[in-house]
Amino acid sequence: MKPGRFDPVVLTFAFAFLYLPILILVIYSFNASRLVTVWAGFSLRWYGEIWHDQALLDAAWVTIRVALVSATLGTLFGTMAALALVRFGRFRGRILFSGMIYAPLVMPDVITGLSLLLLFVAMNVDRGIVTIILAHTSFTLCYVAIVVQSKLVTFDRSLEEAALDLGCPPVKTFFRITLPLILPAVISGWMLAFTLSLDDLVIASFTTGPGATTLPIKIYSQVRLGVTPEINAVCTILIAIVTIGVIIASLNIKRREVQRLRDEHLAAAQ
């Protein structure tokens, strides 16, 4: 089907609607004026001010720790869930298990955060960094499971069977054959989980406690009193981190795909 006359126009407006506000935020993070709506020249002043705001630095450090740990745990459990859904067939309780895995995708963040809050209160668990990590792990693993499951569905199991026939133990087969082939999907799932944890505000606000303020919560509390140039600078740094991470993951996946095609070509030539 040929593209319509107005398709490029609609696409341009769509991308402008999505990314123009972000571009404006990035530009005004280099504004010399304290007034965020008045341009007074180029300056890196507000990026330097960030390093003197200890509360903001503490919130950033909490956010990074939570994102790293929860993304790693979410990737581990999400990969295990994907393996169970793809490899174990139609086991008893499969529908309930898959429903529990996919539920956070459609569940409102307010409901998820409130239910986790009630759970921690009922268990008499002190809220802090640990509860935020558990909360983020619970809702990020479903995204990892979907990404890894899509890779496992198209996985050529004859490679595993060949390794098993040659005497390779199942555990060693997984780490030497299966994991390297699905690693691009695992890395993509980890990056997605890391980004979701880095960005989360609602669930973290329900499960946080004293001394465990994340950066989104800190930014939201300051924005309620008015947007400052420091907030623009912090948001620009977050955008840069996420962008660099996505670029690295994309290049890594592309490199592995090129290597896989090269290996298949060499194997066919032999």
Side-chain angles (χ1 to χ4, degrees), residues 40-93:
F42 181 86
S43 175
L44 296 174
R45 169 188 174 187
W46 308 115
Y47 288 90
E49 292 289 338
I50 294 175
W51 304 107
H52 297 92
D53 192 335
Q54 189 60 43
L56 204 60
L57 293 177
D58 292 340
W61 176 233
V62 170
T63 301
I64 293 174
R65 282 188 294 171
V66 169
L68 288 173
V69 177
S70 63
T72 303
L73 293 176
T75 302
L76 175 63
F77 294 131
T79 303
M80 294 171 61
L83 287 169
L85 290 173
V86 175
R87 297 297 177 83
F88 292 171
R90 306 192 67 83
F91 56 88
R92 180 180 297 179

Side-chain angles (χ1 to χ4, degrees), residues 56-216:
L56 204 60
L57 293 177
D58 292 340
W61 176 233
V62 170
T63 301
I64 293 174
R65 282 188 294 171
V66 169
L68 288 173
V69 177
S70 63
T72 303
L73 293 176
T75 302
L76 175 63
F77 294 131
T79 303
M80 294 171 61
L83 287 169
L85 290 173
V86 175
R87 297 297 177 83
F88 292 171
R90 306 192 67 83
F91 56 88
R92 180 180 297 179
R94 175 186 171 86
I95 296 178
L96 177 62
F97 178 73
S98 60
M100 294 175 65
I101 293 296
Y102 300 144
L105 290 172
V106 295
M107 191 75 66
D109 289 345
V110 174
I111 302 300
T112 302
L114 180 60
S115 61
L116 289 170
L117 171 62
L118 296 176
L119 174 65
F120 293 142
V121 171
M123 296 177 62
N124 197 24
V125 177
D126 293 332
R127 282 169 290 160
I129 294 180
V130 175
T131 54
I132 301 177
I133 291 174
L134 293 176
H136 283 191
T137 301
S138 66
F139 84 88
T140 56
L141 70 87
C142 64
Y143 293 91
V144 178
I146 290 177
V147 174
V148 177
Q149 184 180 2
S150 65
K151 182 67 175 180
L152 287 171
V153 169
T154 59
F155 185 82
D156 186 6
R157 298 197 64 180
S158 62
L159 299 174
E160 294 178 331
E161 295 171 356
L164 293 172
D165 291 340
L166 293 174
C168 185
V171 176
K172 188 176 181 180
T173 299
F174 174 79
F175 285 103
R176 296 292 297 273
I177 304 298
T178 308
L179 185 58
L181 293 177
I182 66 172
L183 191 59
V186 174
I187 294 175
S188 299
W190 188 92
M191 291 297 302
L192 180 59
F194 181 83
T195 303
L196 291 171
S197 176
L198 204 68
D199 178 65
D200 176 65
L201 169 66
V202 178
I203 295 177
S205 63
F206 278 98
T207 57
T208 189
T213 301
T214 62
L215 192 57

